[in-house]
């Protein structure tokens, strides 16, 4: 299966064989035996290489899951040998990672010293898919994403707001649509952050583009740049609250429905989570709160 995966990713039998450190003839024989065992052709042989058939595409999806689970198994068993009881893979969106999870996870880890956590930032579509495919144990996501087969618990509710300098023409507004703000320069997170990707998508759907003056690494940095007059920004209300109360900038509600972000904890089956996975899910959902301008 590893040979098949290498050939599929390279689109070439020779390069796939090289990655496995075997001869092309040996690789060809193994592939032939695999196709005979499955009773379906996995590749179309072309002049410049190979191309997956529909059955091959399906098989590749399964192989990647199996390969990921095997690597995970080896990592978990190695951690047991080092005295670690277990580990959890969490995929979460930008808002939860920046505003909530550091405090929550640090408390959980302090109380559970034999548990390790692999936390990764992704957009909600990727999170849902990763949990459904078993790549992540737990996800924290927002938005209306097709999530057949997943179970949910509430995590937090937060509102995305527009932050502007105190002297901005928007400063006295209570609410404006995102499309109105798009005429101005923005201070944004890194281009690959989940919330930045989301905002770019929203602007594109409106037939406009996000005019980015500078990219920074955190919501706090966005607020500081906005307060200094570099541009305007979109951040969760929870991340801007301290700056607003200190009078450093103004916060304005976005009139768009998507601005209210209901974050949810998702998982495949609560009863099939490890005991420490169940403990973490219950711990995270117990702190449910709502943030907003009103």
């Amino acid at each position: 299966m590893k040979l098949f995966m290498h050939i599929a990713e390279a689109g070439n039998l020779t390069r796939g064989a090289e990655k496995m450190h075997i001869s092309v003839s040996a690789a060809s024989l193994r592939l032939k035996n695999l196709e005979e065992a499955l009773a379906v052709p996995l590749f179309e042989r072309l002049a410049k290489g190979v191309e997956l058939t529909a059955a091959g595409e399906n098989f590749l999806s399964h192989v990647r899951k199996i390969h990921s689970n095997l690597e995970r198994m080896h990592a978990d068993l190695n951690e047991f040998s080092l005295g670690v009881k277990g580990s959890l893979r969490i995929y979460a969106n930008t808002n939860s990672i920046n505003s909530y999870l550091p405090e929550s996870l640090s408390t959980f880890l302090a109380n559970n010293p034999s548990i390790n956590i692999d936390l990764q930032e992704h957009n909600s579509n990727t999170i849902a898919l990763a949990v459904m495919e078993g790549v992540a144990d737990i996800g924290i996501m927002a938005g209306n994403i097709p999530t057949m087969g997943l179970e949910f618990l509430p995590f937090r509710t937060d509102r995305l707001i527009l932050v502007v300098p105190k002297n901005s023409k928007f400063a006295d507004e209570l609410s404006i649509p995102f499309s109105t703000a798009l005429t101005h320069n923005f201070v944004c997170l890194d281009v690959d952050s989940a919330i930045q990707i989301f905002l770019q998508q929203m602007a594109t759907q409106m037939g406009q583009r996000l005019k980015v003056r500078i990219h920074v690494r955190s919501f706090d940095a966005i607020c500081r740049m906005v307060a200094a007059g570099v541009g305007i920004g979109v951040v969760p209300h929870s991340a801007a609250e301290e700056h607003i109360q200190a009078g450093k900038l103004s916060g304005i509600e976005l009139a768009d429905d998507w601005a209210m972000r209901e974050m949810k904890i998702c998982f495949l089956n609560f009863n099939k989570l490890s005991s420490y996975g169940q403990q973490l899910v219950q711990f995270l959902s117990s702190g449910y709160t709502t943030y907003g301008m009103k």
Side-chain angles (χ1 to χ4, degrees), residues 3 7 13 17 22-35 45:
L3 171 65
I7 295 171
L13 180 65
I22 61 175
S23 67
V24 176
S25 59
S28 180
L29 179 60
R30 291 187 191 184
L31 183 57
K32 179 175 178 291
N33 291 339
L34 178 62
E35 289 180 316
R45 275 67 173 175

Side-chain angles (χ1 to χ4, degrees), residues 210-267:
L210 206 56
K211 296 191 289 185
V212 181
R213 188 79 188 277
I214 187 172
H215 288 286
V216 295
R217 300 285 294 181
S218 68
F219 291 135
D220 183 67
I222 289 179
C223 291
R224 290 176 182 274
M225 285 285 185
V226 169
V230 175
I232 64 177
V234 174
V235 301
H237 180 264
S238 59
E241 189 171 28
E242 184 177 332
H243 294 273
I244 294 170
Q245 290 180 351
K248 297 177 180 178
L249 47 74
S250 295
I252 306 160
E253 280 197 0
L254 288 169
D256 309 79
D257 291 340
W258 50 258
M260 183 58 78
R261 309 289 282 168
E262 294 185 6
M263 287 174 281
K264 299 165 283 189
I265 306 165
C266 62
F267 38 88

Side-chain angles (χ1 to χ4, degrees), residues 41-167:
L42 300 174
F43 290 102
E44 290 182 18
R45 275 67 173 175
L46 307 174
K48 295 183 179 180
V50 294
E51 186 175 284
L52 287 167
T53 62
E57 292 278 5
N58 185 274
F59 187 60
L60 179 61
S61 175
H62 288 288
V63 167
R64 283 175 170 159
K65 292 177 193 176
I66 292 168
H67 182 63
S68 175
N69 286 337
L70 283 171
E71 289 188 333
R72 181 68 181 174
M73 178 189 71
H74 286 298
D76 285 350
L77 291 176
N78 182 58
E79 289 175 344
F80 275 107
S81 71
L82 299 174
V84 176
K85 187 172 70 175
S87 59
L88 292 165
R89 297 161 297 177
I90 302 176
Y91 279 25
N93 65 358
T94 310
N95 191 354
S96 63
I97 288 179
N98 276 266
S99 300
Y100 304 108
L101 286 177
E103 182 178 89
S104 296
L105 291 181
S106 63
T107 300
F108 180 81
L109 289 170
N111 293 328
N112 296 272
S114 59
I115 304 299
N116 284 342
I117 289 176
D118 175 13
L119 176 64
Q120 296 184 32
E121 180 186 332
H122 293 280
N123 63 50
S124 292
N125 284 298
T126 301
I127 293 167
L129 183 61
V131 176
M132 284 190 280
E133 293 187 344
V135 176
D137 301 306
I138 297 167
I140 298 177
M141 52 179 281
N144 297 316
I145 309 297
T147 52
M148 290 179 60
L150 294 185
E151 297 178 8
F152 297 93
L153 283 173
F155 179 57
R156 302 287 190 278
T157 297
D158 208 343
R159 175 179 281 278
L160 292 177
I161 64 170
L162 190 71
V163 286
V164 303
K166 294 296 290 185
N167 62 354

